[in-house]
Amino acid sequence: MKRIAVLTSGGDAPGMNAATRAIVRKGYYHNMEVYGVYHGYSGLINGEIEKLGIGSVGDIIHRGGTVLYTARSEEFKTPEGQQKAVEQLKKHGIEGLIVIGGDGSFRGAQKLMEHGILTVGVPGTIDNDIPATDFTIGFDTAINTVIDAIDKIRDTATSHERTYIIEVMGRHAGDIALWSGLADGAESIIIPEAFFDMDEIIDRLKRGHKRGKKHSIIIVAEGVGSGVEFGNSIKEKTGFDTRVTVLGHIQRGGSPTAFDRVLASRLGAEAVDLLLKNEAGKMVGIKNNQIISLDINEALSQKHHVDLSLHQLASILAI
Ligand code: ADP
């Protein structure tokens, strides 16, 4: 294979640039030409394709977001849209495509496989919700952003002796809430994957208050419901001075952590190796600190599981 391309798709995540850099540099190392597709599948349909030189990915390893931009494309979900995308790739003589994104983007990559384009998926999403990999690119940066924010909120929470409800991202997966809650000693962590008992949460708050706790932090994953509603309900049931902070898109940005940069570099390089061996229709991932690859269909048929033992541990430690 001589000519490959890379695109970023779906929600952006810190570390996508480090992955793009790794793909371009590893490709050139193996004497391939590497092209960048701008604006995800939408740009692919429209022919926003450019050759990326080795220098074009300089000075991006530390930057959040994606220099290739990202987009969501309804047109690409149609057979006509996919046909246009295939024609563009053929026009540029591109045989292999690496897609950095989430599970939706991987489904799109599988469609291109059906049209004879060799594709490999690199998991990039802050939600950590892709099955078959322990971590996705961007997750570590996101939880570090969250704990940085919670640490700051904690200062004001202590000063005013308040209870804070913090809503974090995660529509289907509670990983961000769970990891940041454990890392920040939250009193309660409410995630979609675990049953929660409001009375137990209230009891825990009251017990802490009686013991002289100056503040309490409760983390709510957005998939469970609105932080504001939780806040109102807790205020009503405890009478405590309660505030709500919705962290929102701040969780998506920022310079990637060392962990995410290293992960992105390893995964990007592995994706190129797979294309070199004509092993396509696969995603790359990390399991027990080993870089792995597996069939995308097999990966997508699995379910992502949050580590519930961490939820239990957080609950014990916040007693
Ligand atoms: P993510 O990759 O972060 O999960 P999305 O689910 O929004 O994000 O998917 C990104 C893009 O991938 C979509 O806008 C669409 O163009 C493409 N895509 C998603 N699902 C499919 C599918 N089943 N078939 C073809 N393309 C898809």
Side-chain angles (χ1 to χ4, degrees):
M1 185 171 307
K2 278 276 162 249
R3 202 172 277 183
I4 63 170
V6 51
L7 63 77
T8 51
S9 168
D12 67 320
M16 280 184 162
N17 285 328
T20 300
R21 171 182 177 271
I23 290 160
V24 172
R25 296 272 168 95
K26 189 76 172 9
Y28 276 95
Y29 176 78
H30 292 293
N31 298 316
M32 291 166 149
E33 284 183 332
V34 188
Y35 283 68
V37 179
Y38 294 87
H39 299 110
Y41 292 123
S42 163
L44 183 55
I45 290 172
N46 298 326
E48 295 177 54
I49 303 172
E50 223 176 71
K51 193 168 159 182
L52 298 174
I54 299 177
S56 69
V57 288
D59 203 23
I60 66 168
I61 196 166
H62 63 297
R63 280 202 239 156
T66 162
V67 295
L68 292 177
Y69 302 98
T70 184
R72 294 201 161 88
S73 168
E74 282 309 306
E75 188 181 3
F76 184 74
K77 290 185 178 170
T78 66
E80 296 76 25
Q82 289 155 21
Q83 195 53 46
K84 283 189 202 169
V86 171
E87 279 160 21
Q88 289 290 354
L89 288 166
K90 291 205 165 139
K91 196 169 102 186
H92 287 83
I94 294 164
E95 297 159 87
L97 176 70
I98 298 174
V99 172
I100 308 170
D103 56 344
S105 303
F106 287 2
R107 287 197 175 85
Q110 283 305 84
K111 294 287 175 198
L112 291 175
M113 275 294 290
E114 290 166 19
H115 288 86
I117 304 291
L118 302 179
T119 58
V120 173
V122 174
T125 162
I126 63 163
D127 289 335
N128 207 39
D129 61 350
I130 300 186
T133 183
D134 290 342
F135 297 107
T136 58
I137 297 167
F139 172 65
D140 186 65
T141 306
I143 56 175
N144 276 286
T145 301
V146 171
I147 65 166
D148 182 51
I150 298 174
D151 288 347
K152 289 179 172 127
I153 288 167
R154 194 183 268 283
D155 289 343
T156 178
T158 310
S159 304
H160 286 272
E161 302 186 40
R162 279 177 182 151
T163 297
Y164 264 88
I165 316 299
I166 300 171
E167 184 190 307
V168 300
M169 281 185 168
R171 260 173 299 164
H172 307 293
D175 295 57
I176 293 180
L178 184 52
W179 282 69
S180 57
L182 180 57
D184 229 305
E187 268 62 37
S188 296
I189 303 168
I190 308 173
I191 56 172
E193 296 91 340
F195 171 78
F196 72 92
D197 178 352
M198 202 58 179
D199 292 337
E200 207 274 316
I201 291 170
I202 302 294
D203 279 352
R204 188 186 284 265
L205 279 177
K206 287 184 175 166
R207 273 202 315 271
H209 199 254
K210 234 184 189 164
R211 241 180 34 232
K213 264 194 174 179
K214 294 286 179 231
H215 68 266
S216 294
I217 304 273
I218 295 176
I219 316 274
V220 183
E222 64 179 334
V224 185
S226 136
V228 174
E229 278 168 28
F230 273 98
N232 289 341
S233 164
I234 284 168
K235 190 173 187 165
E236 198 179 293
K237 288 180 175 144
T238 59
F240 296 163
D241 189 5
T242 305
R243 298 294 153 96
V244 179
T245 298
V246 179
L247 292 184
H249 282 87
I250 193 174
Q251 295 163 88
R252 282 258 179 98
S255 180
T257 57
F259 181 89
D260 273 331
R261 295 182 201 190
V262 172
L263 179 65
S265 301
R266 294 174 80 188
L267 294 180
E270 178 69 10
V272 173
D273 278 341
L274 288 180
L275 285 183
L276 264 176
K277 293 184 274 182
N278 279 335
E279 281 184 38
K282 290 191 166 183
M283 67 164 272
V284 292
I286 187 164
K287 276 267 169 199
N288 304 320
N289 203 25
Q290 297 299 311
I291 299 301
I292 53 127
S293 62
L294 78 162
D295 186 88
I296 286 188
N297 288 335
E298 193 190 320
L300 294 180
S301 69
Q302 297 174 20
K303 219 173 128 31
H304 165 70
H305 293 290
V306 73
D307 185 350
L308 286 174
S309 72
L310 296 181
H311 195 255
Q312 239 173 357
L313 177 62
S315 171
I316 291 168
L317 300 185
I319 199 153

